[in-house]
Amino acid sequence: MQLIKKTFAIPRIIYLFIPILIISFLLTKLPSSAVEVSSIEFIGEATLPKGLIFKKTEVGGLSGITYDAKNNLYYAISDDRGQKAAARFYTLKIDLSKGSLKKSGVIPIDVTTLLNENARTFRPSETDTEGIALTNKSTIFISSEGDAAKLINPFIKEFSLSSGKEITTLPIPNKFLPDKAGKQGIRNNLAFESLTITPDKKNIFTATENALIQDGVAAKPNIGSPCRILQYNLLNSQPEKEFLYQTEPVSPFLNLTGKFASGLPDLLTLDNQGHFLSLERSFTGLGFAISLFQVSLEQADDIHHIDSLLAIDFKNIKPVQKKLLLDLRTLDVLLDNIEGLTLGPKLPDGQQSLILVSDNNFNSLQRTQILAFKMKIETPLIRLLRRLLPNLNR
């Protein structure tokens, strides 16, 4: 009898391993190991007081934001071109401890002035700092749009988190640099607004807010613009790849002012395999249109060797894939000029938080607005289990 029990014990062990083997096999057949955002839920809004003065600077123009998980702090870059104070970034506390953001849940706690390689402040109009991304070395990268009209080049520089002093500068490919003839390079105020680093800290990405002059038209009512995503290898500090990102055409609504602007102000990496959140922002004549997309580089063509999209038939180029996650106009919120986004901490229920911030343009009619969201992010394994077990979490 004991021998019989031992004989039948072996298959039981095998039975335990069969599901593991099946799942492992199916995982190898998945198209990618990418995470996927399955839902986004709005969990609160906060605004900073208009004209807020903090440590002798006016808090405003917050165009990019990044999260320091180790210290539970946020760093937000101001795009002040030195008119209100020297180029700078702010350290913020954002309270999500209760699983939502209250109206008074955002507090500035510090401001850091940016210093150039000579340890001096940048001259007025020398910078238009828009993007910010934290490294794991107590440093931050910051992007500047430059000024195409004045032939001031855009830049991506690394700064000390504590002192604000410049450490390194990443080389910018020539095709992005403005020229005297106005026939190539960035458009004024439509350049490197975005900046994001992969979780493994091996790559950093930025993107043009609209098309380079030699690539196509700037966004117009009902017409999108072909932007470029630029990928750098942080192991050698060199640009590696570029990808075509097409912004959505947006219709103006009751555009009595005749003003219209639309583009790609920020990107946020979700993993190390080329998957992002993207933020598209438009001024439509009557308020702002803000949309969040999930973006994949998996099937996109590398276009770094193409200097001008207009010089070729770029209809055959595969752009990045996009999926609309949320049109913020569906929220019961008066939207301002949202330009930056970052992941925040895990919320009390274990879900991932997401923070968006607005650039008030130092305009008395606008606000520094912070929006918080709860995101449900699924790994390939969870998605596979949902296919195998449809009643999971029901």
Side-chain angles (χ1 to χ4, degrees), residues 135-153:
T135 74
N136 58 356
K137 303 180 296 182
S138 296
T139 65
I140 51 171
F141 278 93
I142 290 174
S143 63
S144 170
E145 290 195 289
D147 191 327
K150 298 178 181 178
L151 296 180
I152 298 175
N153 290 334

Side-chain angles (χ1 to χ4, degrees), residues 213-334:
I213 291 173
Q214 71 271 25
D215 280 347
V217 298
K220 299 177 181 179
N222 302 305
I223 299 175
S225 186
C227 307
R228 286 191 190 233
I229 294 176
L230 175 55
Q231 174 184 333
Y232 284 85
N233 183 338
L234 286 179
L235 300 181
N236 60 17
S237 299
Q238 294 299 310
E240 279 191 331
K241 299 178 181 179
E242 296 169 23
F243 304 94
L244 174 61
Y245 181 108
Q246 186 74 41
T247 64
E248 297 300 303
V250 177
S251 299
F253 181 66
L254 294 178
N255 195 353
L256 301 178
T257 65
K259 294 182 178 180
F260 179 85
S262 185
L264 172 64
D266 213 356
L267 287 171
L268 177 64
T269 53
L270 292 175
D271 57 25
N272 301 316
Q273 287 78 40
H275 300 87
F276 304 80
L277 292 182
S278 71
L279 175 68
E280 293 190 26
R281 177 275 327 270
S282 304
F283 178 71
T284 64
L286 188 65
F288 294 91
I290 313 292
S291 295
L292 286 170
F293 295 85
Q294 180 154 347
V295 175
S296 172
L297 305 183
E298 280 185 304
Q299 304 299 321
D301 290 330
D302 178 7
I303 59 171
H304 81 275
H305 59 287
I306 301 174
D307 289 334
S308 169
L309 293 177
L310 290 177
I312 64 169
D313 183 8
F314 75 90
K315 292 180 181 178
N316 296 322
I317 292 176
K318 293 180 182 178
V320 304
Q321 296 175 308
K322 296 165 56 182
K323 180 178 75 172
L324 179 64
L325 295 175
L326 179 65
D327 183 341
L328 273 67
R329 290 176 295 185
T330 61
L331 304 178
D332 187 20
V333 176
L334 180 62

Side-chain angles (χ1 to χ4, degrees), residues 340-359:
L341 77 164
T342 187
L343 297 179
K346 291 293 180 67
L347 297 166
D349 64 359
Q351 298 299 327
Q352 177 65 57
S353 64
L354 175 71
I355 295 292
L356 275 61
V357 66
S358 76
D359 173 3

Side-chain angles (χ1 to χ4, degrees), residues 35-155:
V35 298
E36 184 173 304
V37 179
S38 58
S39 66
I40 299 182
E41 177 186 345
F42 177 61
I43 58 170
E45 171 192 16
T47 56
L48 296 180
K50 292 185 179 181
L52 174 63
I53 302 299
F54 178 78
K55 293 191 174 181
K56 299 181 180 180
T57 69
E58 182 176 344
V59 181
L62 303 187
S63 296
I65 188 168
T66 188
Y67 178 60
D68 181 348
K70 182 178 179 181
N71 297 298
N72 193 26
L73 296 172
Y74 299 79
Y75 308 111
I77 186 69
S78 173
D79 68 357
D80 181 5
R81 298 191 181 198
Q83 309 305 313
K84 301 284 185 179
R88 62 199 180 276
F89 68 89
Y90 291 92
T91 303
L92 307 174
K93 278 190 175 180
I94 301 179
D95 186 5
L96 299 176
S97 60
K98 303 298 183 183
S100 64
L101 177 62
K102 305 303 181 185
K103 291 183 178 180
S104 59
V106 180
I107 303 173
I109 61 170
D110 203 2
V111 59
T112 304
T113 300
L114 298 179
L115 304 175
N116 63 20
E117 57 186 351
N118 299 316
R120 297 179 180 176
T121 58
F122 289 90
R123 298 187 304 272
S125 300
E126 187 180 1
T127 65
D128 182 11
T129 46
E130 299 277 0
I132 185 169
L134 180 69
T135 74
N136 58 356
K137 303 180 296 182
S138 296
T139 65
I140 51 171
F141 278 93
I142 290 174
S143 63
S144 170
E145 290 195 289
D147 191 327
K150 298 178 181 178
L151 296 180
I152 298 175
N153 290 334
F155 69 63

